[in-house]
Amino acid sequence: MATLSQVRAARRADASRCRVALVGLGTVGKSVAQILQGQRDESPLQLTHICNRNVARKQASWVGPDVAWSDDIREVLATDADVVVELMGGLEPAFELLRCALQSGKAAVTANKQLIAEFGLELQQLADDRGLYLGFGACVAGGVPVLSALSDGLAGDQLTSLRGILNGTCNYILSRIEHAGCSFDDALAEAQQAGFAEADPGDDVDGLDAGAKLAILARVGLHVQTSLKQVTCRSIRDVKAIDFQYAAQLGYTIRQISTAVLSNDMIHMAVEPTLVPKNSGFAKVSGSQNLVVSSGQFGGETTFGGCGAGGGPTAVAVVSDLLQAAHRRSYPSRRPARTAVISRKATTDVETSHYLRFVVRDRPGIIATLAGVLSRHDINLDAVLQQPGYSKAELPFVITLEPCATSRLQPALAEICEFDFLVESPVRMPIVT
Ligand SMILES: NC(=O)c1ccc[n+]([C@@H]2O[C@H](COP(=O)([O-])OP(=O)(O)OC[C@H]3O[C@@H](n4cnc5c(N)ncnc54)[C@H](OP(=O)(O)O)[C@@H]3O)[C@@H](O)[C@H]2O)c1
């Protein structure tokens, strides 16, 4: 039995600890609770409340008796918790929870990329006005501390571009198409069976998930006001096994690449299937691994890589933010100097090399016809590739282009789409050299 002085010491220790209310006990929430419970005695953090809808079915014996359970978010806001962790996902009631938490003087931590991409600036303003901490390190690249590295470790540089692989589902699907030679639909079905893809995979394969992460990355790393609406998102649904064969002939493979580039006072942000060199770091990324490469005016390229998803890695990022919140609570005067975000016009126009794949009903003169259209738009061909052995009724071949502005290529492709020899619309992918 503890002595009176031990109980008093424990109470004093508890009073100095940062009280954490966790909302959303799912994949990430459970891992966060487990880390906090496992470190109970020595940690500056104390898990005091867990909230989830229909909470009774979530209660577990590994959670200590000193944790209060609730299924009412308003109850959490009325507690004496110092920090609220939002791990429900979705825009509402997540936004309202964090807004009310900050308004009532509580710090806030979230792993919710949609929320931060959409309302991050508003919440940050609210937090800054009240001298409170808002942590969202888990929103991008899960367990890879890329946001804190960009905002602190590389604060001395002027970053000009960020390029990354930010979605594990697309990695899995593209790797399966590449190695098993299967269709997109079969690779997606496999990914769903293996638990790597949601029942509704649209956000992942059509680029919206990576787009939200890119908007946050660009805001933090390039100091630009961004929103998901400014990100051009193109799906990986049209990528076929034949594209990997042609890409391999050229020394490349295909990945879903997220790019944010500053140029001429504009910002270009895109998520799209892209040819990357076979010997690059991007080509070696697999499964739930994420990779981000930043380019700075003074420091050159810096690469961040690691586990981009999953309960454990994401929970580590959340708990790291909670430790920051506890630190800010102990040293409230030490507010980090924030670099102002500036407004830049978004542009969809960027100069790059391109890969074009056509499937045609073969007849003489097709390549000359395509070259004619491209030349009229002042676009130079780089290479033409055609593998033998395909039916003339559905013949796939590839043209690669020297660097040209997408604004020049798009009208040329619109003209090309009118030709009756096309079996399907051409597939266009940028090439990263
Ligand atoms: N999983 C990852 O690898 C990962 C990685 C990076 C970031 N994130 C982000 O982390 C957040 C949580 O993801 P997750 O994978 O842990 O999701 P999850 O497994 O679906 O967990 C969400 C939890 O929140 C609860 N919840 C949902 N809406 C609620 C509401 N209105 N009121 C109360 N409780 C509610 C759910 O309850 P029910 O059990 O009733 O559904 C569930 O327990 C999301 O923003 C996600 O984008 C996840």
Side-chain angles (χ1 to χ4, degrees), residues 246 358-370 384-398 419-424:
Y246 280 125
F358 301 92
V359 181
V360 299
R361 271 178 290 280
D362 199 21
R363 68 182 191 217
I366 288 182
I367 294 204
T369 307
L370 295 175
V384 178
L385 289 89
Q386 185 181 320
Q387 286 190 355
Y390 282 90
S391 152
K392 281 185 170 299
E394 272 190 39
L395 183 72
F397 68 92
V398 160
F419 289 126
D420 63 359
F421 54 73
L422 289 178
V423 174
E424 56 186 65

Side-chain angles (χ1 to χ4, degrees), residues 32-339:
V32 169
Q34 280 167 340
I35 294 177
L36 296 180
Q37 288 288 281
Q39 304 177 334
R40 263 196 304 166
D41 293 334
E42 66 279 12
S43 170
L45 303 170
Q46 184 189 6
L47 181 63
T48 53
H49 301 84
I50 293 178
C51 175
N52 202 96
R53 57 189 172 202
N54 308 319
V55 79
R57 73 206 149 97
K58 297 274 182 179
Q59 286 180 353
S61 55
W62 50 267
V63 178
D66 47 345
V67 175
W69 294 82
S70 167
D71 45 19
D72 186 348
I73 288 175
R74 286 164 306 179
E75 255 177 43
V76 171
L77 290 166
T79 66
D80 58 355
D82 299 299
V83 50
V84 170
V85 194
E86 182 281 308
L87 295 171
M88 294 179 287
L91 288 183
E92 286 296 355
F95 173 64
E96 201 51 20
L97 170 69
L98 293 192
R99 194 176 67 82
C100 293
L102 290 166
Q103 276 175 338
S104 65
K106 300 182 195 309
V109 170
T110 181
N112 189 331
K113 63 221 139 217
Q114 278 89 10
L115 179 71
I116 292 297
E118 188 86 8
F119 297 114
L121 278 175
E122 195 174 330
L123 290 171
Q124 190 67 65
Q125 191 63 54
L126 204 55
D128 288 350
D129 289 349
R130 286 162 175 73
L132 292 164
Y133 176 77
L134 170 69
F136 50 89
C139 290
V140 179
V144 187
V146 61
L147 288 181
S148 58
L150 293 182
S151 61
D152 296 335
L154 289 176
D157 205 346
Q158 279 174 25
L159 300 187
T160 51
S161 75
L162 295 161
R163 181 166 277 140
I165 292 185
L166 301 173
N167 184 281
T169 305
C170 289
N171 274 352
Y172 183 94
I173 291 173
L174 291 173
S175 304
R176 286 308 292 157
I177 299 174
E178 178 173 22
H179 298 300
C182 57
S183 67
F184 169 84
D185 287 339
D186 288 346
L188 171 61
E190 255 186 58
Q192 284 168 325
Q193 234 167 11
F196 287 111
E198 306 275 339
D200 177 2
D203 277 5
D204 291 316
V205 301
D206 299 331
L208 302 177
D209 172 84
K213 294 170 183 169
L214 183 68
I216 300 169
L217 257 188
R219 190 182 302 154
V220 171
L222 304 178
H223 311 298
V224 176
Q225 265 181 35
T226 55
S227 77
L228 179 55
K229 288 184 217 75
Q230 297 171 312
V231 183
T232 304
C233 296
R234 296 174 60 228
S235 183
I236 64 162
R237 290 176 198 262
D238 295 331
V239 178
K240 292 184 171 170
I242 185 74
D243 294 312
F244 283 97
Q245 291 167 23
Y246 280 125
Q249 278 186 35
L250 294 161
Y252 289 82
T253 187
I254 300 164
R255 294 285 182 265
Q256 186 205 50
I257 298 289
S258 304
T259 312
V261 186
L262 288 178
S263 68
N264 304 326
D265 285 342
M266 310 268 257
I267 183 159
H268 167 72
M269 291 187 287
V271 176
E272 53 195 337
T274 302
L275 269 71
V276 293
K278 265 272 185 208
N279 59 3
S280 67
F282 290 125
K284 296 181 182 92
V285 171
S286 65
S288 64
Q289 296 289 304
N290 281 189
L291 189 82
V292 176
V293 179
S294 69
S295 262
Q297 210 176 320
F298 303 101
E301 285 200 348
T302 311
T303 302
F304 308 91
C307 215
T314 310
V316 169
V318 171
V319 175
S320 300
D321 276 352
L322 286 172
L323 288 167
Q324 280 292 324
H327 187 74
R328 285 280 296 279
R329 176 176 168 266
S330 304
Y331 303 98
S333 59
R334 293 188 56 198
R335 289 179 59 183
R338 288 198 179 278
T339 312

